[in-house]
Amino acid sequence: MKHVVVVGGGVAAKGFLSSAVAIHSDVKYTFIRKTEFGPVPCGIPYAFGTLDSPMDNISPDTGILKGGAELIIDEVIEIDSKEKNITLKSNKKLNYDKLVMAVGSEPIVPPFPGLELENILTIEKDLNVVTKQKEIIKNSKNIVIVGGGFIGVELADEIKNFEGKNVTIIELARNVLSAAFDVKYCQAVEDILKHKNINVITKLGVSEFKGNGKVEEVVLSNGQIVAADMVFLSIGAKPLIKLGEMAGLETNPRAGIITDAYGYTSNSDILAIGDCSSKIDFFSGKGSGIKLASVAAREGRIAALNLFGKVMPESPLGVTSLFSTCVHGEYFAATGMTIEQLEKSNTLFNTVDITTVDKHPTTLPNAKKIEGTFIFAKETNIILGAQLKGSVQVAELINFLGYAVQNKASAYELYTLNYASHPMGTPSPNKTIAHMAATALLKKIK
Amino acid sequence: MKHVVVVGGGVAAKGFLSSAVAIHSDVKYTFIRKTEFGPVPCGIPYAFGTLDSPMDNISPDTGILKGGAELIIDEVIEIDSKEKNITLKSNKKLNYDKLVMAVGSEPIVPPFPGLELENILTIEKDLNVVTKQKEIIKNSKNIVIVGGGFIGVELADEIKNFEGKNVTIIELARNVLSAAFDVKYCQAVEDILKHKNINVITKLGVSEFKGNGKVEEVVLSNGQIVAADMVFLSIGAKPLIKLGEMAGLETNPRAGIITDAYGYTSNSDILAIGDCSSKIDFFSGKGSGIKLASVAAREGRIAALNLFGKVMPESPLGVTSLFSTCVHGEYFAATGMTIEQLEKSNTLFNTVDITTVDKHPTTLPNAKKIEGTFIFAKETNIILGAQLKGSVQVAELINFLGYAVQNKASAYELYTLNYASHPMGTPSPNKTIAHMAATALLKKIK
C-alpha cells in the first residue's frame, strides 16, 4: 500500500487529507503535527472575543482520522529525498511514496527597535499561545495593533467589545484593508471602527517600541507616541521554507516552496500546499502573495485529486482574491482586482456602483442595504472584480461573483442569467445585484 | 422619437422598463396598468402577516418614472397590430413602435362544486383585494389553503402566526412543494409546518365546498371533511392570453403568448414577457410552465436589451428552476432538476448528500446547519441540480449553484474553484458546500 506523509496539520493539510481519503482510499496516510490540536486560523480573532474560550476554536481532525489517516505529534528534523524517508525528532523514521509539505507560514516581524520588550505579540496558530495571549489582553488597557489587514481589523473589533480597552490600529498604507478594497470600502470600515472608538492611524509606520521591561509606548514614524500595555503585530506572514530547503527543493524566501498549479515541487514525489508554497495570480500569471485559509484549502484538494497523476483536463486557475470579513456586524467582501490594482497594471476598465436591499419589499423587518462596486474590462465587458458591503448575505454573494470572475463572465452573461429571489433572503427580482451591475454598465457604455 | 408601449405594470413590465430606460434612453416609454400601485407579488404572503399593512407591500415605480416612463392607469380594449396602435377604455388611442405585453396570469380555479360560496379566495395581485382578504383572515378561525406550492406554504406559515387560527393545507401531490423539491426536503418543510400545528393533508384533492352562503366545509376526495371559515385557492396560475389573441398573435392557453427566447412574438413589433408568455426549459428545450417573478424580471431585461435588434451573441438560456423559500425561519432552496424529474426524463445521474455549517468554528453563536443534496450527470459529472436547507445564506448560495447549473459546471470545476470563507458568514474553507459535494461525488464514482 502506498504511504503518503503530510507534514503539517492546518488548513492545507486538512484540505488535502479530507479529499485524499475520499478519493484515493487504498493509501496509508500519516500526518505529522507539532501540537495535538490546531486552531481554525481565521477564527483566532474570535477566540480572543466572541468565543467563550480559545479551546472553542479547535479545528477538529475527526473527519480525517475517521477516514483512516494517522496523526503523529512530532517534528520533522531530516528529509532524505533520495531514499524517500523522513526522520522525526523522536528518532522515528518514516518512508513515503509521496511527501506533502503543509507547514504554513510565520508572522513577519520587521526589525523594530524594542522588539525584545514583553507583551509584544504575534498571531500564532497555537491554542496554548492564544489562551495565554487572551490573559494578557484581559490585563491590558492600552492595546495597539500594528497592521490593519483582515486579522488586525477583526482583532481590534473583537477586543474593543471588552469594557475599558483603548484599542489603536496602526497601518502603514493609505487605509486599513487596502490590499483587498478600494478607498470607499476601506473608509466605510474605518468609519465603523472609529464609531466604536477604535483609534485608527493610517499612513504611518512604527519606528520603535519603548518601555521598561514591558512595552509602554509605540513610537510612530512621525514621532507621535501611542501608549501601549501590549502590542499585537499583524503585519503579514512569510512562508516557512526550511523543510523545502532540507529536501533540496527549489524555494524562494518570499514566494515559498516553488510549485506548479497542482502543488508539485521540483521533486515530483514531494508536493507543497498552503502558506508555505508558491502561488500564481489568476490575472497576471505572475506570483501571488495571497496567504489565506481558503487558498490553502483549495491547494490541498487540488493536490489530493492530482496526487497520483494529473486528472484535471487543464491546469487549475490561479489564485484570485475572494475575501470577506465582518466589522461590528457589517459584512464586507471582495473578489478579483481592485480599481487601484487595475490602474497599476495598466488595465482598461469601467466601474459601476450599485445599491440594493437584501429583502423585498424593503419594508420587511431587518431589511438591510447592500452596496456594491463592480469593475468590468473596457472592451470585452468581462467582470474583473467586485466589492460589497452589507448584511451576512454578502459572504455568499461574493462567491457567486468570484465564480463569475473565474468564469470570465461578461456583463451580458450576468444580465441574462436566471436568478432566484425570495422576500426573506434576497433583493427583489428586479434588483439582483449582479444584473443591476450589468445594467448599469450597459447604460454607461452606450 | 420611438414610442414603446408596455401593457402591464408588474414584475416583468418593471424588469423591462428599468432596463430599457437605462439602455435605450432616446425612446418614449408608456406603461398601462389597471391600478395605481402594484404589489410585490412574492411579498403577498407576507402582506397577510409579517408586514404591518398590505400597503407596505407596494412595488415602487420610482426608478422607472424617474427614468422618464409615463404611467397611464387604464385598460387596453383594442389592438390594431397593422396600424400599430392600441385603444384604451378611456377611448384614448396610442401609437406604438414596439408593444410589450406583460399582462401576467390569473389563478387557476378548477370547477369545484360550491365555488360560488362566499370566502373562497384566490391570490390577487391587487393591494385593495389583499387588504380586504386580510380582514377576512382576521375574522376567520378555520382557514383552508388548497394547493401546497410556495405561495400556499408561505401563506399557511404566515397566517398561523396569528393566534387562534386553525390552518390546513390540502395538496394533491405526494408532498407540499413537490414540483421544486424531492421528498427529503418536502418532508422537512412538512415537519416544520406540522410542528407549528398546521394541518398538512397530502395526496388528496378537493371534491367540493359546502356551506350556507358562506363556505363552511371542504370535502376531500376521500370524503373527509375539513371545517372552513375561509378557503384560499393557491393551485397555480394560467397565462392571460386575451391581449395576444386581440393582436392576432400565436397563443396557447397553457403556454401563453408564444415567444422566442428574446420575447418576440409572431409579430416582430410585439413582445410578450412574464407570466403571459411562453418559456423554454433550460434542460429539455421544451416548454416550461414555471411562473415566477424572477423569471418575469429576467424576461423583461432580455427583451429590453434586444428590443431594437438582437445584441446577444447567442439565444439566451432557457428557464431553469431557481427557487428559495423560508418556512418558519428555516430556508429552503433549489435549482436545476430534482431526482424525481430526472428519473422521469430518463437521465442518468449520481446524487450526494452534504452537511456543513454556515459559520466556523461551529461553536460560534447562531451557527446553523446547512444540508444539501447535489445531482450530477452520470458520465460527464456536470451538475444538474441542488437542493438546500439551512440559514438565510441558502438564499444566495442557491444563486451560486444555479449559475453552476447554467454554466454546465462539472464536479471537477466546483472542486477546483477559488472560494471565499469567513468565520462569521460561511462554512470553513474545507467545508464549502460546492466543493464538498464535488468531493463526495468523486468518492462515489471512484
mmCIF file with all atom_site columns, all heavy atoms in Angstrom, chain A residues 56 298 301 363 393 399 415-416 420 422, chain B residues 56 154 298 301 363 393 399 415-416 420 422:
data_model
loop_
_atom_site.group_PDB
_atom_site.id
_atom_site.type_symbol
_atom_site.label_atom_id
_atom_site.label_alt_id
_atom_site.label_comp_id
_atom_site.label_asym_id
_atom_site.label_entity_id
_atom_site.label_seq_id
_atom_site.pdbx_PDB_ins_code
_atom_site.Cartn_x
_atom_site.Cartn_y
_atom_site.Cartn_z
_atom_site.occupancy
_atom_site.B_iso_or_equiv
_atom_site.pdbx_formal_charge
_atom_site.auth_seq_id
_atom_site.auth_comp_id
_atom_site.auth_asym_id
_atom_site.auth_atom_id
_atom_site.pdbx_PDB_model_num
ATOM 1   N N   . ASP A 1 56  ? -12.593 26.695 22.125  1.00 0.00 ? 56  ASP A N   1
ATOM 2   C CA  . ASP A 1 56  ? -13.752 26.567 21.223  1.00 0.00 ? 56  ASP A CA  1
ATOM 3   C C   . ASP A 1 56  ? -13.351 26.775 19.773  1.00 0.00 ? 56  ASP A C   1
ATOM 4   O O   . ASP A 1 56  ? -14.167 26.634 18.872  1.00 0.00 ? 56  ASP A O   1
ATOM 5   C CB  . ASP A 1 56  ? -14.826 27.600 21.586  1.00 0.00 ? 56  ASP A CB  1
ATOM 6   C CG  . ASP A 1 56  ? -15.582 27.201 22.845  1.00 0.00 ? 56  ASP A CG  1
ATOM 7   O OD1 . ASP A 1 56  ? -15.562 26.003 23.175  1.00 0.00 ? 56  ASP A OD1 1
ATOM 8   O OD2 . ASP A 1 56  ? -16.171 28.084 23.478  1.00 0.00 ? 56  ASP A OD2 1
ATOM 9   N N   . ARG A 1 298 ? -7.978  25.013 -0.860  1.00 0.00 ? 298 ARG A N   1
ATOM 10  C CA  . ARG A 1 298 ? -8.087  24.698 -2.288  1.00 0.00 ? 298 ARG A CA  1
ATOM 11  C C   . ARG A 1 298 ? -6.825  23.982 -2.794  1.00 0.00 ? 298 ARG A C   1
ATOM 12  O O   . ARG A 1 298 ? -6.912  23.005 -3.528  1.00 0.00 ? 298 ARG A O   1
ATOM 13  C CB  . ARG A 1 298 ? -8.298  26.007 -3.044  1.00 0.00 ? 298 ARG A CB  1
ATOM 14  C CG  . ARG A 1 298 ? -8.371  25.823 -4.536  1.00 0.00 ? 298 ARG A CG  1
ATOM 15  C CD  . ARG A 1 298 ? -8.452  27.165 -5.238  1.00 0.00 ? 298 ARG A CD  1
ATOM 16  N NE  . ARG A 1 298 ? -8.587  26.957 -6.657  1.00 0.00 ? 298 ARG A NE  1
ATOM 17  C CZ  . ARG A 1 298 ? -7.728  27.437 -7.557  1.00 0.00 ? 298 ARG A CZ  1
ATOM 18  N NH1 . ARG A 1 298 ? -6.685  28.139 -7.171  1.00 0.00 ? 298 ARG A NH1 1
ATOM 19  N NH2 . ARG A 1 298 ? -7.926  27.211 -8.851  1.00 0.00 ? 298 ARG A NH2 1
ATOM 20  N N   . ARG A 1 301 ? -6.930  20.384 -1.755  1.00 0.00 ? 301 ARG A N   1
ATOM 21  C CA  . ARG A 1 301 ? -7.784  19.458 -2.502  1.00 0.00 ? 301 ARG A CA  1
ATOM 22  C C   . ARG A 1 301 ? -7.308  19.254 -3.934  1.00 0.00 ? 301 ARG A C   1
ATOM 23  O O   . ARG A 1 301 ? -7.437  18.158 -4.491  1.00 0.00 ? 301 ARG A O   1
ATOM 24  C CB  . ARG A 1 301 ? -9.258  19.847 -2.413  1.00 0.00 ? 301 ARG A CB  1
ATOM 25  C CG  . ARG A 1 301 ? -9.660  21.175 -2.893  1.00 0.00 ? 301 ARG A CG  1
ATOM 26  C CD  . ARG A 1 301 ? -11.168 21.409 -2.673  1.00 0.00 ? 301 ARG A CD  1
ATOM 27  N NE  . ARG A 1 301 ? -11.591 22.615 -3.344  1.00 0.00 ? 301 ARG A NE  1
ATOM 28  C CZ  . ARG A 1 301 ? -11.668 23.818 -2.776  1.00 0.00 ? 301 ARG A CZ  1
ATOM 29  N NH1 . ARG A 1 301 ? -11.373 23.968 -1.505  1.00 0.00 ? 301 ARG A NH1 1
ATOM 30  N NH2 . ARG A 1 301 ? -12.055 24.870 -3.473  1.00 0.00 ? 301 ARG A NH2 1
ATOM 31  N N   . THR A 1 363 ? -39.646 47.016 3.125   1.00 0.00 ? 363 THR A N   1
ATOM 32  C CA  . THR A 1 363 ? -40.321 47.309 4.397   1.00 0.00 ? 363 THR A CA  1
ATOM 33  C C   . THR A 1 363 ? -40.284 46.107 5.352   1.00 0.00 ? 363 THR A C   1
ATOM 34  O O   . THR A 1 363 ? -40.728 46.224 6.499   1.00 0.00 ? 363 THR A O   1
ATOM 35  C CB  . THR A 1 363 ? -41.793 47.665 4.124   1.00 0.00 ? 363 THR A CB  1
ATOM 36  O OG1 . THR A 1 363 ? -42.313 46.713 3.180   1.00 0.00 ? 363 THR A OG1 1
ATOM 37  C CG2 . THR A 1 363 ? -41.920 49.051 3.533   1.00 0.00 ? 363 THR A CG2 1
ATOM 38  N N   . GLN A 1 393 ? -25.529 38.134 3.958   1.00 0.00 ? 393 GLN A N   1
ATOM 39  C CA  . GLN A 1 393 ? -25.693 37.568 2.617   1.00 0.00 ? 393 GLN A CA  1
ATOM 40  C C   . GLN A 1 393 ? -24.479 37.833 1.728   1.00 0.00 ? 393 GLN A C   1
ATOM 41  O O   . GLN A 1 393 ? -24.190 37.071 0.807   1.00 0.00 ? 393 GLN A O   1
ATOM 42  C CB  . GLN A 1 393 ? -26.938 38.171 1.956   1.00 0.00 ? 393 GLN A CB  1
ATOM 43  C CG  . GLN A 1 393 ? -28.240 37.715 2.559   1.00 0.00 ? 393 GLN A CG  1
ATOM 44  C CD  . GLN A 1 393 ? -28.482 36.245 2.331   1.00 0.00 ? 393 GLN A CD  1
ATOM 45  O OE1 . GLN A 1 393 ? -27.752 35.394 2.844   1.00 0.00 ? 393 GLN A OE1 1
ATOM 46  N NE2 . GLN A 1 393 ? -29.460 35.933 1.524   1.00 0.00 ? 393 GLN A NE2 1
ATOM 47  N N   . ASN A 1 399 ? -19.118 34.738 -3.352  1.00 0.00 ? 399 ASN A N   1
ATOM 48  C CA  . ASN A 1 399 ? -18.729 33.500 -4.021  1.00 0.00 ? 399 ASN A CA  1
ATOM 49  C C   . ASN A 1 399 ? -19.378 33.389 -5.403  1.00 0.00 ? 399 ASN A C   1
ATOM 50  O O   . ASN A 1 399 ? -18.769 32.861 -6.332  1.00 0.00 ? 399 ASN A O   1
ATOM 51  C CB  . ASN A 1 399 ? -19.057 32.284 -3.153  1.00 0.00 ? 399 ASN A CB  1
ATOM 52  C CG  . ASN A 1 399 ? -17.951 32.018 -2.157  1.00 0.00 ? 399 ASN A CG  1
ATOM 53  O OD1 . ASN A 1 399 ? -16.769 32.143 -2.482  1.00 0.00 ? 399 ASN A OD1 1
ATOM 54  N ND2 . ASN A 1 399 ? -18.318 31.663 -0.931  1.00 0.00 ? 399 ASN A ND2 1
ATOM 55  N N   . TYR A 1 415 ? -26.198 39.717 -16.941 1.00 0.00 ? 415 TYR A N   1
ATOM 56  C CA  . TYR A 1 415 ? -27.501 40.350 -17.226 1.00 0.00 ? 415 TYR A CA  1
ATOM 57  C C   . TYR A 1 415 ? -28.546 39.291 -17.539 1.00 0.00 ? 415 TYR A C   1
ATOM 58  O O   . TYR A 1 415 ? -29.719 39.428 -17.174 1.00 0.00 ? 415 TYR A O   1
ATOM 59  C CB  . TYR A 1 415 ? -27.291 41.280 -18.416 1.00 0.00 ? 415 TYR A CB  1
ATOM 60  C CG  . TYR A 1 415 ? -28.483 42.127 -18.831 1.00 0.00 ? 415 TYR A CG  1
ATOM 61  C CD1 . TYR A 1 415 ? -28.658 43.398 -18.304 1.00 0.00 ? 415 TYR A CD1 1
ATOM 62  C CD2 . TYR A 1 415 ? -29.393 41.681 -19.776 1.00 0.00 ? 415 TYR A CD2 1
ATOM 63  C CE1 . TYR A 1 415 ? -29.721 44.193 -18.703 1.00 0.00 ? 415 TYR A CE1 1
ATOM 64  C CE2 . TYR A 1 415 ? -30.461 42.468 -20.178 1.00 0.00 ? 415 TYR A CE2 1
ATOM 65  C CZ  . TYR A 1 415 ? -30.624 43.725 -19.638 1.00 0.00 ? 415 TYR A CZ  1
ATOM 66  O OH  . TYR A 1 415 ? -31.674 44.512 -20.029 1.00 0.00 ? 415 TYR A OH  1
ATOM 67  N N   . THR A 1 416 ? -28.135 38.240 -18.209 1.00 0.00 ? 416 THR A N   1
ATOM 68  C CA  . THR A 1 416 ? -29.077 37.292 -18.797 1.00 0.00 ? 416 THR A CA  1
ATOM 69  C C   . THR A 1 416 ? -29.345 36.069 -17.934 1.00 0.00 ? 416 THR A C   1
ATOM 70  O O   . THR A 1 416 ? -30.318 35.345 -18.166 1.00 0.00 ? 416 THR A O   1
ATOM 71  C CB  . THR A 1 416 ? -28.542 36.819 -20.164 1.00 0.00 ? 416 THR A CB  1
ATOM 72  O OG1 . THR A 1 416 ? -28.005 37.931 -20.864 1.00 0.00 ? 416 THR A OG1 1
ATOM 73  C CG2 . THR A 1 416 ? -29.628 36.196 -20.999 1.00 0.00 ? 416 THR A CG2 1
ATOM 74  N N   . ALA A 1 420 ? -32.459 33.295 -8.491  1.00 0.00 ? 420 ALA A N   1
ATOM 75  C CA  . ALA A 1 420 ? -33.525 33.050 -7.517  1.00 0.00 ? 420 ALA A CA  1
ATOM 76  C C   . ALA A 1 420 ? -33.738 34.302 -6.681  1.00 0.00 ? 420 ALA A C   1
ATOM 77  O O   . ALA A 1 420 ? -32.781 35.001 -6.366  1.00 0.00 ? 420 ALA A O   1
ATOM 78  C CB  . ALA A 1 420 ? -33.139 31.897 -6.608  1.00 0.00 ? 420 ALA A CB  1
ATOM 79  N N   . HIS A 1 422 ? -36.227 35.710 -3.187  1.00 0.00 ? 422 HIS A N   1
ATOM 80  C CA  . HIS A 1 422 ? -37.260 35.447 -2.190  1.00 0.00 ? 422 HIS A CA  1
ATOM 81  C C   . HIS A 1 422 ? -37.338 36.618 -1.219  1.00 0.00 ? 422 HIS A C   1
ATOM 82  O O   . HIS A 1 422 ? -36.299 37.125 -0.793  1.00 0.00 ? 422 HIS A O   1
ATOM 83  C CB  . HIS A 1 422 ? -36.977 34.158 -1.415  1.00 0.00 ? 422 HIS A CB  1
ATOM 84  C CG  . HIS A 1 422 ? -38.139 33.794 -0.530  1.00 0.00 ? 422 HIS A CG  1
ATOM 85  N ND1 . HIS A 1 422 ? -38.253 34.239 0.766   1.00 0.00 ? 422 HIS A ND1 1
ATOM 86  C CD2 . HIS A 1 422 ? -39.254 33.088 -0.793  1.00 0.00 ? 422 HIS A CD2 1
ATOM 87  C CE1 . HIS A 1 422 ? -39.395 33.796 1.272   1.00 0.00 ? 422 HIS A CE1 1
ATOM 88  N NE2 . HIS A 1 422 ? -40.012 33.100 0.347   1.00 0.00 ? 422 HIS A NE2 1
ATOM 89  N N   . ASP B 1 56  ? -47.639 48.116 2.798   1.00 0.00 ? 56  ASP B N   1
ATOM 90  C CA  . ASP B 1 56  ? -46.185 48.039 2.900   1.00 0.00 ? 56  ASP B CA  1
ATOM 91  C C   . ASP B 1 56  ? -45.605 47.135 1.815   1.00 0.00 ? 56  ASP B C   1
ATOM 92  O O   . ASP B 1 56  ? -44.396 46.986 1.704   1.00 0.00 ? 56  ASP B O   1
ATOM 93  C CB  . ASP B 1 56  ? -45.768 47.482 4.269   1.00 0.00 ? 56  ASP B CB  1
ATOM 94  C CG  . ASP B 1 56  ? -45.931 48.523 5.365   1.00 0.00 ? 56  ASP B CG  1
ATOM 95  O OD1 . ASP B 1 56  ? -45.957 49.718 5.035   1.00 0.00 ? 56  ASP B OD1 1
ATOM 96  O OD2 . ASP B 1 56  ? -46.032 48.115 6.539   1.00 0.00 ? 56  ASP B OD2 1
ATOM 97  N N   . GLU B 1 154 ? -46.180 29.376 2.235   1.00 0.00 ? 154 GLU B N   1
ATOM 98  C CA  . GLU B 1 154 ? -45.815 30.642 2.891   1.00 0.00 ? 154 GLU B CA  1
ATOM 99  C C   . GLU B 1 154 ? -47.028 31.303 3.531   1.00 0.00 ? 154 GLU B C   1
ATOM 100 O O   . GLU B 1 154 ? -46.942 31.882 4.626   1.00 0.00 ? 154 GLU B O   1
ATOM 101 C CB  . GLU B 1 154 ? -45.159 31.582 1.873   1.00 0.00 ? 154 GLU B CB  1
ATOM 102 C CG  . GLU B 1 154 ? -43.780 31.081 1.437   1.00 0.00 ? 154 GLU B CG  1
ATOM 103 C CD  . GLU B 1 154 ? -43.209 31.795 0.216   1.00 0.00 ? 154 GLU B CD  1
ATOM 104 O OE1 . GLU B 1 154 ? -43.897 32.691 -0.306  1.00 0.00 ? 154 GLU B OE1 1
ATOM 105 O OE2 . GLU B 1 154 ? -42.110 31.440 -0.223  1.00 0.00 ? 154 GLU B OE2 1
ATOM 106 N N   . ARG B 1 298 ? -36.345 38.559 -15.484 1.00 0.00 ? 298 ARG B N   1
ATOM 107 C CA  . ARG B 1 298 ? -35.306 38.215 -16.454 1.00 0.00 ? 298 ARG B CA  1
ATOM 108 C C   . ARG B 1 298 ? -35.815 38.401 -17.888 1.00 0.00 ? 298 ARG B C   1
ATOM 109 O O   . ARG B 1 298 ? -35.111 38.962 -18.736 1.00 0.00 ? 298 ARG B O   1
ATOM 110 C CB  . ARG B 1 298 ? -34.890 36.769 -16.220 1.00 0.00 ? 298 ARG B CB  1
ATOM 111 C CG  . ARG B 1 298 ? -33.871 36.273 -17.201 1.00 0.00 ? 298 ARG B CG  1
ATOM 112 C CD  . ARG B 1 298 ? -33.597 34.797 -17.006 1.00 0.00 ? 298 ARG B CD  1
ATOM 113 N NE  . ARG B 1 298 ? -32.576 34.371 -17.902 1.00 0.00 ? 298 ARG B NE  1
ATOM 114 C CZ  . ARG B 1 298 ? -32.738 33.407 -18.822 1.00 0.00 ? 298 ARG B CZ  1
ATOM 115 N NH1 . ARG B 1 298 ? -33.896 32.781 -18.925 1.00 0.00 ? 298 ARG B NH1 1
ATOM 116 N NH2 . ARG B 1 298 ? -31.747 33.079 -19.612 1.00 0.00 ? 298 ARG B NH2 1
ATOM 117 N N   . ARG B 1 301 ? -35.778 42.036 -18.771 1.00 0.00 ? 301 ARG B N   1
ATOM 118 C CA  . ARG B 1 301 ? -34.499 42.675 -19.118 1.00 0.00 ? 301 ARG B CA  1
ATOM 119 C C   . ARG B 1 301 ? -33.933 42.139 -20.426 1.00 0.00 ? 301 ARG B C   1
ATOM 120 O O   . ARG B 1 301 ? -33.297 42.880 -21.183 1.00 0.00 ? 301 ARG B O   1
ATOM 121 C CB  . ARG B 1 301 ? -33.509 42.624 -17.958 1.00 0.00 ? 301 ARG B CB  1
ATOM 122 C CG  . ARG B 1 301 ? -33.120 41.310 -17.431 1.00 0.00 ? 301 ARG B CG  1
ATOM 123 C CD  . ARG B 1 301 ? -32.163 41.469 -16.224 1.00 0.00 ? 301 ARG B CD  1
ATOM 124 N NE  . ARG B 1 301 ? -31.627 40.181 -15.851 1.00 0.00 ? 301 ARG B NE  1
ATOM 125 C CZ  . ARG B 1 301 ? -32.122 39.395 -14.905 1.00 0.00 ? 301 ARG B CZ  1
ATOM 126 N NH1 . ARG B 1 301 ? -33.173 39.784 -14.206 1.00 0.00 ? 301 ARG B NH1 1
ATOM 127 N NH2 . ARG B 1 301 ? -31.582 38.234 -14.643 1.00 0.00 ? 301 ARG B NH2 1
ATOM 128 N N   . THR B 1 363 ? -18.670 26.449 16.802  1.00 0.00 ? 363 THR B N   1
ATOM 129 C CA  . THR B 1 363 ? -19.009 26.875 18.165  1.00 0.00 ? 363 THR B CA  1
ATOM 130 C C   . THR B 1 363 ? -19.435 28.347 18.221  1.00 0.00 ? 363 THR B C   1
ATOM 131 O O   . THR B 1 363 ? -19.851 28.823 19.274  1.00 0.00 ? 363 THR B O   1
ATOM 132 C CB  . THR B 1 363 ? -17.782 26.689 19.086  1.00 0.00 ? 363 THR B CB  1
ATOM 133 O OG1 . THR B 1 363 ? -16.624 27.194 18.392  1.00 0.00 ? 363 THR B OG1 1
ATOM 134 C CG2 . THR B 1 363 ? -17.543 25.227 19.408  1.00 0.00 ? 363 THR B CG2 1
ATOM 135 N N   . GLN B 1 393 ? -28.339 32.209 4.499   1.00 0.00 ? 393 GLN B N   1
ATOM 136 C CA  . GLN B 1 393 ? -27.279 32.128 3.494   1.00 0.00 ? 393 GLN B CA  1
ATOM 137 C C   . GLN B 1 393 ? -27.680 31.295 2.284   1.00 0.00 ? 393 GLN B C   1
ATOM 138 O O   . GLN B 1 393 ? -27.186 31.496 1.173   1.00 0.00 ? 393 GLN B O   1
ATOM 139 C CB  . GLN B 1 393 ? -26.021 31.522 4.128   1.00 0.00 ? 393 GLN B CB  1
ATOM 140 C CG  . GLN B 1 393 ? -25.339 32.412 5.131   1.00 0.00 ? 393 GLN B CG  1
ATOM 141 C CD  . GLN B 1 393 ? -24.758 33.647 4.468   1.00 0.00 ? 393 GLN B CD  1
ATOM 142 O OE1 . GLN B 1 393 ? -25.492 34.496 3.956   1.00 0.00 ? 393 GLN B OE1 1
ATOM 143 N NE2 . GLN B 1 393 ? -23.451 33.732 4.446   1.00 0.00 ? 393 GLN B NE2 1
ATOM 144 N N   . ASN B 1 399 ? -28.018 30.830 -5.700  1.00 0.00 ? 399 ASN B N   1
ATOM 145 C CA  . ASN B 1 399 ? -27.671 31.553 -6.929  1.00 0.00 ? 399 ASN B CA  1
ATOM 146 C C   . ASN B 1 399 ? -26.303 31.151 -7.449  1.00 0.00 ? 399 ASN B C   1
ATOM 147 O O   . ASN B 1 399 ? -26.081 31.085 -8.660  1.00 0.00 ? 399 ASN B O   1
ATOM 148 C CB  . ASN B 1 399 ? -27.765 33.067 -6.703  1.00 0.00 ? 399 ASN B CB  1
ATOM 149 C CG  . ASN B 1 399 ? -29.183 33.558 -6.896  1.00 0.00 ? 399 ASN B CG  1
ATOM 150 O OD1 . ASN B 1 399 ? -29.886 33.100 -7.805  1.00 0.00 ? 399 ASN B OD1 1
ATOM 151 N ND2 . ASN B 1 399 ? -29.621 34.472 -6.044  1.00 0.00 ? 399 ASN B ND2 1
ATOM 152 N N   . TYR B 1 415 ? -14.925 21.608 -7.670  1.00 0.00 ? 415 TYR B N   1
ATOM 153 C CA  . TYR B 1 415 ? -13.875 21.145 -6.750  1.00 0.00 ? 415 TYR B CA  1
ATOM 154 C C   . TYR B 1 415 ? -12.694 22.108 -6.754  1.00 0.00 ? 415 TYR B C   1
ATOM 155 O O   . TYR B 1 415 ? -12.079 22.359 -5.732  1.00 0.00 ? 415 TYR B O   1
ATOM 156 C CB  . TYR B 1 415 ? -13.440 19.760 -7.217  1.00 0.00 ? 415 TYR B CB  1
ATOM 157 C CG  . TYR B 1 415 ? -12.433 19.040 -6.353  1.00 0.00 ? 415 TYR B CG  1
ATOM 158 C CD1 . TYR B 1 415 ? -12.853 18.182 -5.350  1.00 0.00 ? 415 TYR B CD1 1
ATOM 159 C CD2 . TYR B 1 415 ? -11.062 19.175 -6.578  1.00 0.00 ? 415 TYR B CD2 1
ATOM 160 C CE1 . TYR B 1 415 ? -11.933 17.488 -4.575  1.00 0.00 ? 415 TYR B CE1 1
ATOM 161 C CE2 . TYR B 1 415 ? -10.136 18.482 -5.800  1.00 0.00 ? 415 TYR B CE2 1
ATOM 162 C CZ  . TYR B 1 415 ? -10.586 17.643 -4.804  1.00 0.00 ? 415 TYR B CZ  1
ATOM 163 O OH  . TYR B 1 415 ? -9.680  16.958 -4.037  1.00 0.00 ? 415 TYR B OH  1
ATOM 164 N N   . THR B 1 416 ? -12.412 22.677 -7.914  1.00 0.00 ? 416 THR B N   1
ATOM 165 C CA  . THR B 1 416 ? -11.153 23.403 -8.113  1.00 0.00 ? 416 THR B CA  1
ATOM 166 C C   . THR B 1 416 ? -11.275 24.907 -7.947  1.00 0.00 ? 416 THR B C   1
ATOM 167 O O   . THR B 1 416 ? -10.272 25.601 -7.798  1.00 0.00 ? 416 THR B O   1
ATOM 168 C CB  . THR B 1 416 ? -10.626 23.113 -9.540  1.00 0.00 ? 416 THR B CB  1
ATOM 169 O OG1 . THR B 1 416 ? -10.792 21.737 -9.820  1.00 0.00 ? 416 THR B OG1 1
ATOM 170 C CG2 . THR B 1 416 ? -9.168  23.467 -9.665  1.00 0.00 ? 416 THR B CG2 1
ATOM 171 N N   . ALA B 1 420 ? -14.427 32.082 -1.217  1.00 0.00 ? 420 ALA B N   1
ATOM 172 C CA  . ALA B 1 420 ? -14.178 32.916 -0.039  1.00 0.00 ? 420 ALA B CA  1
ATOM 173 C C   . ALA B 1 420 ? -14.767 32.238 1.189   1.00 0.00 ? 420 ALA B C   1
ATOM 174 O O   . ALA B 1 420 ? -15.816 31.593 1.105   1.00 0.00 ? 420 ALA B O   1
ATOM 175 C CB  . ALA B 1 420 ? -14.854 34.279 -0.207  1.00 0.00 ? 420 ALA B CB  1
ATOM 176 N N   . HIS B 1 422 ? -15.344 32.976 5.607   1.00 0.00 ? 422 HIS B N   1
ATOM 177 C CA  . HIS B 1 422 ? -15.142 33.831 6.781   1.00 0.00 ? 422 HIS B CA  1
ATOM 178 C C   . HIS B 1 422 ? -15.902 33.244 7.967   1.00 0.00 ? 422 HIS B C   1
ATOM 179 O O   . HIS B 1 422 ? -17.038 32.808 7.797   1.00 0.00 ? 422 HIS B O   1
ATOM 180 C CB  . HIS B 1 422 ? -15.613 35.269 6.516   1.00 0.00 ? 422 HIS B CB  1
ATOM 181 C CG  . HIS B 1 422 ? -15.230 36.173 7.643   1.00 0.00 ? 422 HIS B CG  1
ATOM 182 N ND1 . HIS B 1 422 ? -16.037 36.369 8.739   1.00 0.00 ? 422 HIS B ND1 1
ATOM 183 C CD2 . HIS B 1 422 ? -14.101 36.870 7.866   1.00 0.00 ? 422 HIS B CD2 1
ATOM 184 C CE1 . HIS B 1 422 ? -15.412 37.180 9.580   1.00 0.00 ? 422 HIS B CE1 1
ATOM 185 N NE2 . HIS B 1 422 ? -14.247 37.494 9.083   1.00 0.00 ? 422 HIS B NE2 1
#
